[in-house]
Amino acid sequence: MIQIGIVGAAGYTGGELLRILVNHPHADIRWAHSKSQAGKPVYATHTDLLGDTELTFSGEDIANLLQLEGLNVIFLCSGHNESRKFLAEYVVPASVKIIDLSTDFRDQSEGFVYGLPELQREQIKTATKIANPGCFATSIELALLPLAAAGLLTNDIHVSAITGSTGAGQSLSATTHFSWRNNNISIYKAFTHQHLKEIKMSLASLQEGFDKDVNFIPYRGDFTRGIMANLYTHFIGTLEEAVTLYQSFYASHPFTHVTTQDIDLKQVVNTNKCLIQLQKHGNNLLITSEIDNLTKGASGQAVQNMNLLFGLAEDAGLRLKAPSF
């Protein structure tokens, strides 16, 4: 069994991680830390876990928790800019692996490996520190990696993508509470979204010299979970050639599936899947990529990385069912 600690376990990604790990056949959650919820049952915050676990949130000094005998891995779920502070303050034993869900180390600094399995599976297997990708970045990168690997990103890329409200985190703000978000839609961070940096880094790692613009328009959706990203770029081949290229690239990856049929968000919500639909329109390839922002876009992918780190089947604990209706 893998002995696990979770920092920041009361938030959305921490809760999603707990939902997956309590049913993972090889996971033993040693502690789930939360300053705000210390001493309370996990199910008091993550109410859907009532009946699934009797775990309580730990408020104990993390320095002591990190030294527990047998601890194998910690997940950092405390939010952006917090992981760097955490690692500056606390000493994590060399025997304990780290999976960080924040933006702090996605540039692969300080020994972190970028944790997109479809891009760096072999590097992940031998790593000690993983920087989990962003949710928009995951969806967009998976839409483009086969083209980059073939050196076919020769023109600018245009992206329009919409995400659910959980992508903004658990803290309320003017654009996340129900009365504003319901029956509403808006653009934010057009052309400047923070995930663009890691997207361009990943594409350049496969297509040397990649320097095209990725014109990204993100939308806030009036639903809770899921990302639909629609991308188009110049492609001179046929639709059949594109499908063959994509299916070949993802043939050994258990969660990314390619189709020409129409797809919708309910097919991926609550799962670790990425569905990719391909269409050809004139000289443009239209790529639709869909994921659950909390699962494949965050905590599910973090567990996928844990599985690779410890030599487990990549899909262990992650064969999750979509709601369908």
Side-chain angles (χ1 to χ4, degrees):
M1 299 293 283
I2 301 169
Q3 308 293 310
I4 296 165
I6 303 172
V7 179
Y12 281 152
T13 57
E16 190 72 1
L17 193 60
L18 286 162
R19 292 179 189 103
I20 295 169
L21 292 176
V22 294
N23 293 304
H24 194 292
H26 305 288
D28 180 11
I29 305 169
R30 293 288 300 278
W31 48 266
H33 190 273
S34 171
K35 292 179 181 179
S36 63
Q37 303 300 311
K40 297 179 181 179
V42 161
Y43 60 73
T45 298
H46 305 302
T47 55
D48 56 310
L49 289 176
L50 178 63
D52 291 329
T53 179
E54 296 299 319
L55 188 69
T56 60
F57 288 111
S58 174
E60 185 180 344
D61 187 346
I62 291 179
N64 295 330
L65 296 175
L66 291 172
Q67 301 302 320
L68 289 179
E69 185 178 354
L71 187 67
N72 298 122
V73 62
I74 60 169
F75 292 86
L76 303 182
C77 302
S78 295
H80 308 312
N81 302 316
E82 294 299 319
S83 295
R84 194 175 295 275
K85 295 177 186 176
F86 178 91
L87 295 178
E89 182 176 356
Y90 297 103
V91 176
V92 179
S95 60
V96 177
K97 298 180 187 294
I98 301 168
I99 301 176
D100 177 32
L101 279 74
S102 79
T103 63
D104 294 12
F105 301 103
R106 290 175 187 162
D107 60 357
Q108 303 195 99
S109 59
E110 299 189 28
F112 277 79
V113 170
Y114 189 65
L116 185 67
E118 292 81 358
L119 176 65
Q120 301 205 119
R121 177 192 274 158
E122 296 308 311
Q123 295 93 320
I124 292 166
K125 288 179 180 179
T126 58
T128 57
K129 297 186 286 187
I130 298 295
N132 219 54
C135 52
F136 269 134
T138 296
S139 183
I140 293 168
E141 288 169 14
L142 292 176
L144 295 171
L145 292 183
L147 294 177
L152 295 177
L153 293 176
T154 56
N155 290 76
D156 291 349
I157 300 157
H158 303 275
V159 187
S160 177
I162 187 166
T163 186
S165 59
T166 52
Q170 196 167 17
S171 298
L172 286 176
S173 70
T175 58
T176 60
H177 62 76
F178 177 82
S179 59
W180 188 91
R181 196 102 180 198
N182 188 50
N183 297 322
N184 202 3
I185 189 170
S186 64
I187 289 172
Y188 72 111
K189 297 181 181 178
F191 299 103
T192 64
H193 197 279
Q194 65 272 17
H195 290 181
L196 279 168
K197 184 176 181 180
E198 60 188 279
I199 291 167
K200 292 178 179 178
M201 177 190 75
S202 296
L203 297 178
S205 73
L206 290 182
Q207 182 172 321
E208 186 176 356
F210 172 77
D211 60 356
K212 303 304 177 184
D213 288 336
V214 180
N215 301 301
F216 178 27
I217 309 296
Y219 293 81
R220 301 180 182 97
D222 66 341
F223 51 93
T224 56
R225 298 173 71 119
I227 287 175
M228 172 186 276
N230 293 289
L231 308 86
Y232 69 89
T233 192
H234 188 265
F235 181 77
I236 60 173
T238 65
L239 177 60
E240 291 73 20
E241 288 171 334
V243 170
T244 298
L245 176 69
Y246 273 70
Q247 289 181 340
S248 176
F249 187 91
Y250 289 119
S252 66
H253 296 282
F255 295 113
T256 303
H257 307 280
V258 182
T259 183
T260 57
Q261 297 180 4
D262 290 342
I263 58 176
D264 60 77
L265 274 183
K266 282 190 175 180
Q267 291 173 273
V268 298
V269 168
N270 294 331
T271 80
N272 203 53
K273 290 180 182 178
C274 174
L275 296 185
I276 294 175
Q277 179 191 3
L278 300 177
Q279 301 178 51
K280 189 76 190 297
H281 296 276
N283 290 325
N284 287 317
L285 183 66
L286 173 61
I287 312 149
T288 299
S289 174
E290 295 181 346
I291 64 169
D292 185 314
N293 57 290
L294 286 180
T295 316
K296 182 58 174 167
S299 303
Q301 186 152 246
V303 173
Q304 187 179 353
N305 282 318
M306 181 194 78
N307 290 340
L308 290 171
L309 285 173
F310 291 94
L312 303 176
E314 193 169 341
D315 61 354
L318 289 169
R319 286 297 181 183
L320 308 171
K321 183 187 178 300
S324 183
F325 299 108

